[in-house]
Every structure is written in C-alpha cells, then in structure tokens.
C-alpha cells in the first residue's frame, strides 16, 4: 500500500470529526443526561413523612462491600425504624443489591454521581443525607 | 427394638419411639412445628404428617404416633408435600407476615418451612388477627397475631417450669395464648416460653431490634451466676454480648435457663464497668496505671505477717490455684477464704467429717432417677432454679415423691403431692436428728450401719431427739416427723438436697452432718438416685473448695479476717471480687473492719460498695472475657473460652495474680492449661482431666466416700421474743449474690429489697402490700417494701439479701434467725 494512503485516511477521519457534535462535555457548565436506570447515590424513600425503611437489616446483609450500617430503634408505637442508616460511599461498589433486597421498597439509587468530597468522613452518608429530597 | 421401613430404608428403633423420633435417629428429617423433644407429644400443627402403608395410606402425625413392628412409612410423597403446603397456607392465612420487622426472622420455623415448601401464594384469603400486643412487661413481648397455636409455651411453662402462666384462652378462631383472665404476664420470667416459640410471638425485649439472628456469633460458655452450672450460648456481635441463645442440646438441662442466666447477661457490656485501675489519693479514688497500681499492691504484699485475702467463688479454678500460690508461696500467709467462711462449711467441715470428702455424693442427674426427694428449704428453687426444673420434672413426669422441710412454703410446695413440713425457723438440725432417731427406733436403718465409725456415739447422742421431744420446738407434730422418717427410709432411692450460701448461715457443718447421718443410716448414698446433694451458691463455689481456697492449717477464716482487720493484726486485705459490705453479716462490723484495715485492695468488675472503700481498685474481667474452668455444685467441671475480647485496659484476675507473683520474685505458671495440669495431678477426682479434653465435653470429678457418723449440734429451741417476728434471710429467685444487680434483666423484675410476711402479721401491724416498713432488730434498722404472701407462716418474715441499696446485713448479724419488729412508716 502506498505509505501515504493511511495518513490521508486518518486525516479524513479527523476532518470528519471536526464537523461532528463533540462527545466531550464542558463539565461542569454542561451536564450529562443520566439514564433512569443509572446507579448513583442512594436515596431513602419517604412515605407519610418518614423513611419507609423498617430496619430489617437485609441490605447490610446482602451488601457485598459491607458498607451499610443499620441500627434499629423502637419508636413510641413500639415499631421498628432505622435509628442509624449509613452508607460508606468510599466502599460502595454501586451494585444495587441493596435496592433489590429491600422488602419494602425503601431504598433506591438516584442519578446523583457528583460524590467528590474533601474529607473521608464526608463520604459516610448518614440517614439525613440519604433521605430523598422532595 | 422394632424393625420398620422409612422411605424404603430398613431401620430399627426403640419400642417407645414415635415415628418422628425413629426417623430422626435414622437421619430422616420430618418437619415439625409444635413438637419439642423436651415436651410431651401434642400433635397440634399437622406439619409432621406421614403416610403409613398399614393404615391404608392415611396421613398421620409422626410426632404423636408410636412405631410398631413392620411399619412402612413414607415421609415425603407428593401427597404429603401437598398436605404440608396446605397446612402452611392455612397458618399463613391469618399470619401478619411482617418478617421485615419481626425479630424472629432468620430463626423462625414458620419462615423456614414456608421457604422450604415454596409457599409463595395463598389460595385462601381471610382477615389478619388484631390481637393487642403485650408490651406490659420489660422482658417478654407477646404478639399473639403471629402465634401458630403450637402450645409449646404453655406446655413448657407447665411441664418443666411448673409455673403455668400461659394457657389457651377463648375458643374457635378467637383462640389465643394468654394468662388467666387475659391479664398481663407476671411470672418468674425464665424465658423458657421464648426459647421454644417457633415464631415471633414471644420475644426477648432486651434484645428487641438489636440485631438479626444470622449476624450473631454463637459462643458457648458457662453461666456465671449459680452453682447449677448451666451451659450458656451467648449471641455476640461487634464484640458485644447482645443476647443468650437457646440450644436445646446444650448441657444436662437441654438449654433451659433461669431468669438470671437468660436475662442477666448485660453486666458484661455494662457502661458501669471499671476500665482503669484506681488508686486512692488524698481520699479520692483516682484513675491510674496498672504499673503504678500493681507496684503499690506488690509493695504491700511483701509484709507477709499482716496480709489476708478474700475471694469470690466466681473466680475460675485456675485463678484460685494461682491466687493460693501467690498467698502461700510468694506472700507467705494462710489467711485466705471465700464466701465468708461459713457458706462452705457444710462441704469443708460437714461432709469432710461425715463422708470423708468435701463434695456431694450425688449429682443433679440423680434427681430424676430417685424415688423420693427430701429438700431442705423451699429456697432450693430460688437459689438454683434449673435444679428446681429437674425437681419439677422428676415429680411431674417420673412420679418421684417430694418431701420438703422448710421454714416457709414455696414454689416446690405446690408440686403435685408434695409434702411440706413447715417448721419453726432455726430448728432444722433438731428436726433432722429426730428423723434419724425415728429411723433408729423403728429399726428402719441399714443392717451394716453398726460398723460405721461413730454409730454408738450417735445412738446415745440422739436419745434426746425423739420425735415427741422435738415436735414442739419445731412446731410440728410427732406423727408428721415419724411419717417422713418412714417414707424416707422405706423408699428405695432417696436423695437429700439442700442449698448453701451467704444467706443461709443455718446450713452449716452440723446440718450437713445431720443429713449425711440420714443417708448413712439408711445406706442411701453412693448409688444411682441416692445421696446428699449440697447446692453451693455461686458458679464456682465447689471449685473454690476443691482448689483448697479456704482457711486451713490455722489460717484465719472469712469472718476472722474481718475481726483481725479491726484489731489491726491484718493490715493489708486483698479482696478479689467479694462484696462483704453487703453480703457478710453485720454491716457495721464489716464497715469498721474495712475502715480500719490499713491497705485495702479490691479487684472488681464494678465500683461496688466494697470497692469504693478500697485504696487500690483493679478492674478485672467477667467470665465472658476469660478462659478457664468452673466446677458446678455437683462437681461437673466445665471449660469455657472467652466469648468476647476483653477491653485492652483491663486484666483478668489470672493476669493480676501472675503479675503480682512475678513482682514478688516468683515464677507464675505459663498458662491456664499448665495450671490445670497441676490441678489434674493434685486435686482428688480431677485425675485425667485436661483443658483439651474438657473443651470437647465436661466431666464429673469423682467422689470417694468414707462414711462416718458425726453428732450434729442442734441449736436448742430458739426462744420466741414476745411481740417480735423471726426474720429469715435468703435468696430471691431473680438474683444471685450482688452481681445480678448489674444484670439489668433481673433488675427489671426485682429491682429492690423487700420484706415478705404473712397476711396475719401484716394486718396485725396494719401493713399493706408495697408499704414502706421499718424493720428493726438488735443490730439496726432498715426500710423495706412490704410484700404480703400466703407462703410465709405467721410469726416469720423473709428478706432477700442481694441489694446494695437496702442491705439486710444492717439488721442481720449472722444468726439463722433474727428477731425483728415492724413499723409502718
Ligand atoms: S449498591 Fe451494592 S455495595 Fe453499594 S450499598 Fe448497595 S449493596 Fe452495598
Ligand atoms: S413469625 Fe416468622 S413468619 Fe411470622 S413474621 Fe415473624 S419471621 Fe415472619
Ligand atoms: S417466662 Fe417462664 S414462667 Fe414466665 S410464662 Fe414463660 S415459661 Fe412461664
Ligand atoms: S406463642 Fe409461640 S409457643 Fe406459644 S402457642 Fe403461640 S406460637 Fe406456640
Ligand atoms: S443462674 Fe444457675 S440455674 Fe440459672 S441459668 Fe445460671 S447456672 Fe443455671
Ligand atoms: S409437629 Fe407433629 S403435629 Fe405438630
């Protein structure tokens, strides 16, 4: 093959891309479109003004990264609720098993992916931070 | 043995087996829900249906049907699986299915069976139950919506616990488990019902929502309260003991526990535990370092002539040996003892003289094999509840006769056909002597007795104890005494049981010899179902005796040590875990002794009243944080390993003693198992034992008996002081020593001291239940809550001794009977 042909082919591709819509996003001014099934930061679903989570301990049991900490409490009606619900995002592998395991549909994963932070402690998401914002 | 075929397999089984048992023995698993091997067959749930060819393929319950020769049984045909599925569907029909919030999930028979039989839908539909959930008591939650009406709770409470708190109430679809008249549960809170409930109807509230069953590590251990020596399974998560777990195969007691064993574990992870050594500086206990504290203690121990030590019978055998070594060899003192000296005298003096050994000649296992039990004091149930269960089962299932000599009635008196002779407090020995005399007079004694040393002396000494002569003093009739004597002598196998402990000063060497005389006279010892069983109070009381940790060869005993502290001959006192300020007689005397001793060292788990007076307090470990062996009251030696890691800041008593030995220039043995090797070589009956072997299974230390008759000194009739009541002290069911005060569970149901009295004495003093009463004796006075009950005879009052906040030793100076007056505040 003529040694010049591949170079010309290459330049052609380059030229073609000059006129195509760029893939690169000008983050943070431009935002990606997150698919509905994306597995980002967790949210604890709320119903009747309280977290749906009943502290059944199934998500900490199933979690392969062992990054969920649940401590159950007994409320005034003797019902079970999550007194502590924490996820350590530094260890989470975003597998979504926790969502699958939940028997009461209390946890889901959102499109939130901007989880960078300055201190390690800040990656441990407490119940307050996980409660869904309506 | 009969031959039968189970699932095409030729097998054999004993004639008495049910189909379920026969299958289980031969490795075929039949699902059960309402059956429990400890209880009588019931047949309520129909989960265990099987097909028997001879019955034309009819489905019959395996748990209630006995095997017969040639039976051909099929346990898992499609029809049976279908029937079982139907049973489950019907059970789930009204079941709330709230597994996510039900603490039983993971350990639930209904859940497991539903999963196993893949019952994922229900052909029927009906409303769920709406029973009110009982949150009224702090230990047991009752949610009858989840109940499958298996009846196990009601049956165990009746058949083994013999309390009968629970029963089926209402009829038809309304049927539920409840207390009489649907009242709140107020029972002895042994938790047996929780342990057998196959679903989440009965739950332990202290553990409620704490963790899931599957996340717990199950650690085998030995109960650290009384001398029964029950095995314990602790549920551990994140190095915390969260609950006790039922294991129906554990120990002679098959996992049965009393309220203390089951609910008294919280002291181990209590936030009140001492974590740093304390040294008294300018009159205040100040946190310090181990090095400073042990340095100080070692310095004081060098002054051999003035050192004494008291130890709690809760130390391990290894720790006793090491402590003894430290005192004998490195310090050079003989002044050490445990349990105040008198609480072990039944063994160390009484049995030594009568049987030639400081151990009981019978075991707890003999109870169910006996024909007649003679129990001294109904308190036996309170001091050793699981031994009480054995007595319940012996009487109710095996038809064993029960005779009780006691100064009050009690739970044991309520057993079927139990005969309770309620005698005047303090007349036990005279009464026992008169029984011996009757046996002699009526020629009911064994032929060989004349050759037992001391026989002639006994015969002459007993001459003053004819039933007629003693009857009045005991408050009984001569006929009743004679009847008991002839019952005892004529039964083939008889066993005498009596408790000892800090509160039972009357259960001393004389009482031990008096009961031993009965056994020797009739030849009822050293055989199955026969003998004398001394139930020592704490988990290792017998071990302390076996290891020789008591005053011998001229050493001062427990009470003498305190006197010596007061008069200045003892200048350094090392108290390992005892709490004499509350448990030894005569509080002001104990306090004076602890005040006057120059240097007081206390090793403790908590800052007890005694520890608060110390110059140095050493924080040590509970049984759950160390390894070692305990010897139960019937000389079962059990090994246990740490259930949790100890906090790095504290030491075990073992480490404290070996550190002190090193500081005093001695050589401590390398490890606990090395110490145990010395024990197995030196302690009679422990031959051939080792930690390695005991890890697999516990072992009994053998007992060799050389009988001799000893003349027991009976106290002469105690004159009744006019207008005064006879106070007897003892143990409450919910407590053991003072440790159970930190156990939370026991404190929920029995939080404070009380004085129990008869209706007549209460009304004579115008006292109502729960009134605050000032109880005054010659020694002092104390305020206690009144508790009126039918079991106490007129003229007698009873108070338990466990409570630091209402110490009965302010009014009790150690005599078996104290005369008191009551005044309502
Ligand atoms: S997504 Fe996976 S790793 Fe992350 S918390 Fe859930 S179960 Fe754990
Ligand atoms: S009792 Fe068993 S089946 Fe019923 S809710 Fe509890 S765990 Fe589930
Ligand atoms: S706790 Fe014991 S005494 Fe109370 S109801 Fe249950 S089994 Fe009976
Ligand atoms: S409460 Fe539990 S043990 Fe009692 S009958 Fe119901 S299911 Fe059985
Ligand atoms: S306190 Fe005694 S009877 Fe109760 S569980 Fe413990 S060892 Fe057994
Ligand atoms: S287990 Fe046989 S009927 Fe319930």
């Amino acid at each position: 093959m003529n040694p010049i042909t591949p170079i010309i082919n290459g330049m052609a591709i380059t030229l073609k891309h000059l006129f195509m819509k760029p893939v690169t996003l000008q983050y943070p001014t431009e935002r990606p479109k997150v698919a509905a099934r994306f597995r980002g930061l967790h949210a604890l679903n709320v119903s009747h003004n309280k977290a749906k989570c009943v502290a059944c301990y199934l998500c900490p049991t199933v979690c392969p990264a062992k990054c969920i900490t649940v401590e159950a409490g007994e409320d005034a009606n003797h019902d079970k609720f999550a007194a502590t619900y924490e996820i350590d995002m530094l260890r989470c592998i975003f597998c979504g098993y926790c969502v699958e395991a939940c028997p009461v549909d209390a946890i889901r994963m959102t499109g939130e992916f901007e989880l960078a932070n300055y201190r390690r402690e800040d990656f441990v998401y407490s119940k307050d931070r996980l409660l869904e914002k309506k | 043995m009969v031959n039968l075929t189970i699932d095409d397999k030729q097998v054999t089984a004993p004639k008495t087996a049910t189909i379920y048992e026969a299958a289980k023995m031969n490795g075929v698993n039949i699902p059960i829900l309402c059956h429990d091997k400890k209880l009588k067959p019931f047949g309520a749930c129909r989960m265990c249906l099987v097909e028997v060819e001879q019955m034309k393929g009819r489905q019959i319950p395996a748990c209630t049907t006995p095997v017969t020769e040639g039976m051909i049984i099929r346990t898992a045909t499609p029809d049976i699986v279908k029937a079982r599925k139907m049973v489950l569907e019907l059970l789930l029909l009204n079941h709330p299915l709230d597994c996510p919030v039900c603490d039983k999930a993971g350990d639930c028979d209904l859940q497991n069976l539903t999963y196993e039989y893949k019952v994922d839908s229900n052909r029927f539909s009906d409303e769920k139950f709406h029973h009110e959930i009982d949150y009224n008591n702090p230990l047991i939650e009752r949610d009858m919506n989840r109940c499958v009406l298996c009846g196990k709770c009601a049956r165990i409470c009746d058949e083994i616990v013999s309390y009968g708190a629970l029963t089926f109430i209402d009829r038809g679809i309304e049927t539920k488990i409840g207390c009489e008249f649907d009242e709140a549960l107020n029972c002895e809170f042994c938790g047996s019902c929780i342990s057998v409930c196959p679903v989440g109807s009965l739950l332990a509230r202290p553990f409620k929502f704490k963790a899931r069953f599957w996340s717990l590590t199950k650690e085998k251990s030995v109960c650290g309260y009384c001398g029964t020596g029950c095995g314990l399974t602790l549920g551990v998560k994140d190095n915390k003991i969260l609950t006790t777990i039922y294991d129906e195969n554990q120990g002679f007691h098959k996992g049965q526990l009393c309220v203390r064993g089951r609910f008294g574990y919280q002291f181990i992870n209590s936030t009140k535990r001492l974590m740093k050594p304390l040294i008294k500086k300018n009159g205040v206990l100040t946190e310090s370092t181990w090095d400073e504290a042990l340095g100080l203690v070692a310095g004081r121990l060098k002054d051999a002539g003035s050192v004494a030590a008291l130890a709690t019978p809760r130390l391990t055998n290894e720790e006793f040996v090491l402590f003894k070594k430290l005192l004998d060899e490195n310090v050079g003192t003989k002044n050490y003892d445990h349990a105040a000296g008198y609480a072990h005298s039944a063994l160390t003096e009484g049995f030594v003289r009568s049987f030639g050994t400081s151990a009981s000649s019978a075991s707890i296992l003999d109870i169910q094999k006996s024909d007649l039990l003679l129990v001294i004091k109904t308190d036996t149930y309170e001091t050793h509840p699981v031994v009480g269960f054995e007595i319940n089962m012996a009487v109710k299932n095996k038809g064993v006769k029960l005779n009780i000599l006691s100064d009050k009635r009690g739970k044991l008196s309520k057993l079927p056909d139990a005969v309770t002779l309620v005698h005047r407090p303090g007349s036990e020995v005279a009464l026992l002597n008169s029984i011996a005399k009757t046996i002699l007079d009526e020629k009911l004694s064994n032929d060989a007795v004349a050759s037992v040393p001391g026989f002639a002396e006994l015969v002459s000494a007993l001459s003053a104890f004819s039933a007629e002569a003693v009857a009045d003093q005991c408050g009984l009739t001569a006929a009743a005494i004679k009847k008991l004597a002839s019952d005892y002598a004529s039964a083939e196998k008889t066993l005498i049981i009596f408790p000892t402990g800090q509160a039972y000063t009357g259960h001393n060497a004389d009482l031990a010899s008096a009961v031993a005389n009965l056994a020797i006279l009739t030849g009822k010892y050293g055989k199955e179902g026969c003998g004398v069983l001394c139930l020592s109070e704490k988990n290792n009381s017998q071990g302390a005796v076996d290891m020789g940790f008591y005053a011998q060869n001229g050493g001062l005993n427990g009470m003498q040590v305190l006197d010596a502290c007061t008069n200045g001959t003892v200048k350094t006192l090392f108290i390992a875990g005892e709490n004499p300020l509350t448990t030894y007689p005569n509080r002001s005397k104990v306090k004076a002794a602890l005040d006057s001793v120059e240097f007081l060292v206390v090793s403790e788990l908590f800052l007890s009243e005694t520890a608060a007076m110390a110059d140095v307090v050493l924080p040590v470990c509970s049984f759950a944080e160390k390894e070692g062996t305990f010897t139960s009251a019937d000389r079962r030696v059990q090994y246990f390993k740490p259930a949790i890691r100890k906090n790095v800041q504290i030491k075990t008593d073992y480490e404290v003693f070996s550190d002190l030995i090193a500081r005093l220039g001695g050589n401590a043995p390398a490890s606990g198992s090395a110490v145990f090797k010395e024990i197995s070589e030196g302690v009679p009956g422990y031959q051939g034992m080792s930690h390695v072997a005991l890890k697999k299974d516990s072992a009994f230390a053998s007992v060799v008996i050389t009988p001799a008759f000893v003349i027991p000194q009976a106290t002469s009739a105690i004159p009744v002081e006019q207008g005064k009541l006879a106070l007897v002290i003892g143990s409450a069911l919910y407590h053991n020593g003072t440790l159970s005060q930190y156990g939370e569970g026991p404190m929920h149901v029995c939080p404070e001291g009380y004085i129990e009295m008869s209706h007549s004495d209460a009304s004579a003093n115008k006292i109502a239940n729960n009134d605050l009463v000032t109880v005054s004796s010659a020694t002092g006075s104390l305020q206690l809550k009144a508790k009126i009950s039918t079991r106490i005879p007129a003229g007698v009052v009873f108070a338990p001794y466990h409570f630091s906040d209402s110490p009965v030793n302010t009014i009790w100076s150690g005599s078996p009977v104290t005369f008191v007056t009551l005044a309502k505040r």
Side-chain angles (χ1 to χ4, degrees):
Chain A
M1 202 200 284
N2 187 334
I4 215 81
T5 321
I7 294 175
I8 291 174
N9 284 346
M11 292 310 279
I13 291 170
T14 309
L15 208 65
K16 194 171 96 199
H17 275 268
L18 274 180
F19 298 99
M20 276 167 62
K21 192 167 173 283
V23 178
T24 316
L25 282 177
Q26 289 307 311
Y27 182 81
T29 40
E30 284 174 23
R31 317 287 305 176
K33 202 170 138 284
V34 177
R37 59 167 200 180
F38 181 81
R39 299 199 296 265
L41 179 68
H42 307 67
L44 291 174
N45 295 336
V46 171
S47 133
H48 298 90
N49 288 323
K50 59 179 186 185
K52 280 173 91 178
C53 171
V54 294
C56 73
Y57 287 85
L58 286 188
C59 51
T61 304
V62 76
C63 177
K66 294 282 162 268
C67 63
I68 310 182
T69 311
V70 178
E71 269 168 36
E74 189 174 354
D75 68 14
N77 295 327
H78 302 286
D79 287 334
K80 199 179 188 185
F81 75 103
T84 306
Y85 193 105
E86 274 174 14
I87 302 181
D88 183 352
M89 287 302 162
L90 285 178
R91 291 174 66 184
C92 175
I93 57 168
F94 299 94
C95 62
Y97 282 7
C98 45
V99 179
E100 250 186 84
C102 183
V104 293
D105 187 27
I107 188 166
R108 69 191 149 90
M109 293 177 101
T110 64
E112 178 65 48
F113 61 89
E114 292 160 301
L115 304 174
N117 232 320
Y118 290 98
R119 292 178 313 168
R120 278 177 180 278
E121 308 79 279
D122 292 338
F123 287 92
V124 179
Y125 278 68
S126 63
K127 189 174 173 186
D128 291 343
R129 289 170 74 194
L130 289 170
L131 278 179
E132 69 175 333
K133 315 283 175 303
K134 281 209 170 138
Chain B
M1 287 302 228
V2 295
N3 300 300
L4 61 164
T5 314
I6 302 179
D7 289 346
D8 301 323
K9 216 166 87 186
Q10 295 289 333
V11 299
T12 57
K15 248 196 343 242
T16 50
T18 59
I19 297 179
Y20 169 75
E21 285 160 354
K24 190 157 190 196
M25 270 171 227
N26 291 292
V28 179
N29 204 20
I30 299 175
I32 49 168
L33 204 50
C34 74
H35 183 71
D36 190 298
K37 66 174 181 191
K38 289 195 292 195
L39 303 173
K40 292 180 190 142
F42 193 58
C45 73
R46 306 282 134 167
M47 249 337 270
C48 63
L49 291 176
V50 293
E51 271 177 18
V52 175
E53 207 170 283
Q54 284 85 343
M55 298 189 181
K56 308 201 175 60
R58 247 195 310 139
Q59 295 172 345
I60 54 164
C63 70
T64 53
T65 315
V67 291
T68 52
E69 182 64 38
M71 246 185 187
I72 300 170
I73 300 156
R74 289 203 180 75
T75 69
T77 64
D79 276 352
I80 287 172
V81 172
K82 219 172 120 195
R84 288 186 189 148
K85 270 190 164 176
M86 168 100 123
V87 167
L88 288 168
E89 274 178 282
L90 290 171
L91 283 175
L92 294 171
L93 185 53
N94 309 99
H95 195 87
L97 280 180
D98 47 11
C99 309
V101 294
C102 174
D103 256 358
K104 194 71 179 179
D107 184 31
C108 171
D109 290 352
L110 182 61
Q111 195 186 40
N112 292 346
L113 288 168
T114 303
Y115 187 77
E116 190 185 329
Y117 282 86
K118 303 191 181 65
V119 183
D120 47 14
S121 59
N122 208 327
R123 285 170 286 162
F124 316 101
S125 69
D126 192 14
E127 221 185 307
K128 302 289 177 194
F129 291 129
H130 297 290
H131 297 303
E132 206 181 313
I133 303 173
D134 176 13
Y135 301 108
N136 283 317
N137 76 73
L139 294 181
I140 300 177
E141 178 175 312
R142 295 185 299 146
D143 181 350
M144 287 309 127
N145 300 307
R146 295 178 186 146
C147 176
V148 294
L149 296 174
C150 70
K152 279 205 243 180
C153 52
R155 282 146 65 208
I156 202 162
C157 191
D158 171 36
E159 290 174 26
I160 297 181
V161 186
S162 198
Y163 191 90
L166 300 171
T167 181
F168 289 102
I169 56 174
D170 294 338
R171 289 292 173 269
I173 188 77
E174 306 277 295
T175 312
K176 63 171 183 178
I177 290 284
C179 303
E180 277 170 20
F181 306 109
D182 213 358
E183 282 187 349
L185 184 65
N186 187 9
C187 60
E188 57 185 68
F189 295 109
C190 64
S192 301
C193 49
I194 301 178
S195 66
V196 292
C197 182
V199 291
S201 273
L202 299 168
L203 293 170
R205 287 195 78 189
F207 176 59
K208 193 178 171 193
F209 300 158
K210 286 269 172 20
R212 282 308 197 178
F213 183 77
W214 59 79
S215 66
L216 297 173
T217 320
K218 286 93 190 163
E219 297 286 356
K220 296 277 180 232
S221 191
V222 177
C223 178
Y225 284 112
C226 86
T228 308
C230 300
L232 210 57
T233 306
L234 297 167
V236 179
K237 190 183 169 195
D238 300 336
N239 210 38
K240 282 214 165 57
I241 290 168
L242 295 183
T243 187
T244 48
I245 292 171
Y246 172 57
D247 173 356
E248 60 169 6
N249 296 317
Q250 192 172 19
F252 75 90
H253 52 105
K254 304 274 177 281
Q256 284 295 121
L257 297 174
C258 75
V259 58
R260 314 183 293 232
R262 190 177 314 274
F263 290 114
Y265 55 84
Q266 282 112 321
F267 76 91
I268 300 162
N269 291 115
S270 168
T271 48
K272 293 190 200 137
R273 283 282 297 273
L274 293 169
M275 284 299 155
K276 287 229 168 91
L278 307 173
I279 296 180
K280 192 165 266 173
K281 289 177 181 158
N282 304 323
V284 189
L285 282 171
T286 328
E287 286 192 358
S288 167
T289 62
W290 274 103
D291 201 44
E292 191 185 357
L294 288 174
L296 204 57
V297 176
R300 293 292 312 208
L301 291 181
K302 287 194 180 116
D303 187 9
S306 60
V307 178
L310 300 173
T312 170
R314 298 200 197 281
L315 298 184
T316 66
N317 288 329
E318 292 76 3
E319 287 167 348
F320 276 123
V321 169
L322 209 59
F323 199 12
K324 198 171 164 213
K325 215 185 250 314
L326 167 69
L327 297 162
D328 275 341
E329 295 169 16
N330 306 99
V331 176
T333 177
K334 285 184 286 188
N335 306 329
Y336 49 81
D337 208 340
H338 72 274
Y342 61 80
H344 59 72
S345 64
L347 294 167
T348 53
E349 294 170 42
F351 279 1
V352 165
R353 282 184 281 158
S354 293
F355 288 134
T357 170
S358 55
S360 296
S361 65
S363 87
I364 296 170
L365 304 180
D366 284 312
I367 294 175
Q368 297 213 43
K369 295 177 188 153
S370 189
D371 293 327
L372 181 140
L373 303 173
L374 177 57
V375 175
I376 317 291
K377 282 216 176 40
T378 50
D379 300 47
T380 305
Y381 191 86
E382 278 87 354
T383 56
H384 296 75
V386 172
V387 172
F389 293 169
E390 293 289 312
I391 299 177
N392 291 342
M393 288 187 277
V395 174
K396 293 179 91 157
N397 302 341
K398 303 267 163 72
V400 177
K401 292 220 167 50
L402 176 61
N403 281 284
I404 304 162
L405 297 180
S406 183
D407 46 18
K408 55 193 158 299
R409 299 178 68 80
K411 186 172 166 199
L412 291 176
S413 318
K414 295 185 196 158
L415 285 171
D417 300 323
V419 178
T420 311
L421 298 190
V422 181
H423 58 79
R424 288 233 173 84
S427 59
E428 294 89 344
V429 177
L431 182 50
L432 289 163
N433 280 351
S434 79
I435 295 173
K437 166 88 174 137
T438 312
I439 290 175
L440 280 170
D441 286 352
E442 302 192 356
K443 311 247 173 320
L444 298 168
S445 58
N446 193 335
D447 303 333
V449 288
S451 60
V452 176
F455 181 66
E457 291 87 337
L458 182 76
V459 171
S460 66
L462 287 182
S463 61
F465 288 95
S466 70
E468 288 77 12
V470 170
D472 230 20
Q473 171 189 349
C474 305
L476 296 167
T477 62
I481 300 176
K482 286 184 174 163
K483 167 93 173 48
L484 178 58
S486 69
D487 283 352
Y488 175 79
S490 56
E492 193 183 329
K493 292 185 276 182
T494 57
L495 177 61
I496 307 180
I497 305 173
F498 67 97
T500 57
Q502 306 268 174
Y504 300 98
T505 37
H507 287 201
N508 51 15
D510 288 316
L511 182 113
S513 290
V515 289
N517 286 345
L518 296 184
I520 301 170
L521 271 177
T522 51
K524 291 189 173 108
Y525 62 93
K527 293 185 286 198
E528 188 186 80
C530 294
V532 181
L533 179 57
C534 167
L535 296 173
S536 43
E537 185 177 27
K538 309 269 168 65
N539 54 333
N540 204 26
S541 295
Q542 182 66 48
V545 169
D546 290 349
M547 299 309 122
F549 197 90
Y550 56 92
Q552 294 179 83
N553 313 321
L556 300 176
N557 73 23
M559 298 307 287
Q560 290 164 346
V561 162
L562 291 181
D563 290 338
C565 289
T566 316
N567 68 30
T569 34
V570 165
K571 296 198 169 65
T572 301
L573 179 60
F574 193 140
I575 299 185
E578 281 279 76
N579 190 3
L581 199 52
T582 301
T583 60
Y584 285 28
N586 202 340
R587 188 176 179 93
S588 55
K589 205 172 120 187
V590 180
K591 183 145 194 310
L594 299 183
D595 271 334
S596 18
V597 70
E598 263 177 37
F599 191 74
L600 177 64
V601 191
V602 176
S603 63
E604 250 294 0
L605 274 64
F606 297 95
L607 195 65
S608 65
E609 316 71 272
T610 305
M613 296 182 71
D615 296 286
V616 173
V617 182
L618 306 171
V620 289
C621 293
S622 70
F623 75 96
E625 295 146 315
K626 59 189 179 190
E627 73 149 10
T629 54
F630 287 145
T631 306
S632 69
D634 58 350
R635 292 244 282 183
R636 185 194 291 270
V637 186
Q638 304 190 82
Y639 171 87
F640 59 94
K641 64 179 196 333
I644 56 174
R645 273 171 285 112
K646 70 181 170 72
N647 188 302
V648 288
Q649 300 182 70
I650 61 175
K651 288 184 190 288
T652 60
D653 287 281
Y654 187 94
E655 289 168 332
V656 170
F657 301 146
S658 50
D659 189 306
L660 288 172
I661 290 178
R663 278 172 201 259
L664 292 178
N667 275 325
S671 65
S673 55
V675 175
F676 195 82
K677 188 151 179 288
E678 286 178 29
I679 296 175
S680 71
E681 283 158 8
V683 179
Y686 285 64
Q687 283 77 15
M689 292 186 191
S690 68
H691 274 189
V692 178
L694 292 172
K695 274 176 196 171
K696 291 198 196 87
D697 201 3
S698 59
F700 279 109
S702 57
V703 181
V704 180
I705 304 168
T706 28
F709 285 115
V710 176
I711 300 166
Q713 296 309 319
T715 38
S716 47
I718 301 169
V720 181
E721 293 179 27
Q722 264 312 311
K724 293 195 176 174
L725 301 166
L727 167 73
V728 289
I729 70 160
S731 279
L733 174 63
Y734 307 95
H735 291 278
N736 180 269
T738 53
L739 178 66
S740 48
Q741 287 183 100
Y742 300 95
E744 287 190 30
M747 288 305 264
H748 282 310
V749 282
C750 184
E752 57 191 351
Y754 55 84
I755 184 136
E756 208 176 336
M757 64 191 79
S758 65
H759 282 276
S760 59
D761 289 325
S763 55
N765 290 286
K766 302 201 175 46
I767 294 167
N769 245 334
N770 294 328
D771 277 354
L772 218 46
V773 176
T774 308
V775 187
S776 315
S777 74
T779 325
S781 73
L782 177 69
Q783 306 225 330
L784 291 168
K785 254 198 188 156
K787 184 170 162 187
I788 303 175
S789 78
T790 50
R791 71 183 191 115
I792 308 279
V796 177
V797 286
F798 167 80
Y801 83 102
H802 318 278
F803 302 95
S804 307
D805 290 338
S806 47
V808 290
N809 61 353
T810 40
I811 50 173
W812 168 68
S813 58
S815 56
V817 188
T818 311
F819 283 94
V820 296
T821 52
L822 306 181
K824 190 173 154 182
R825 274 194 78 209

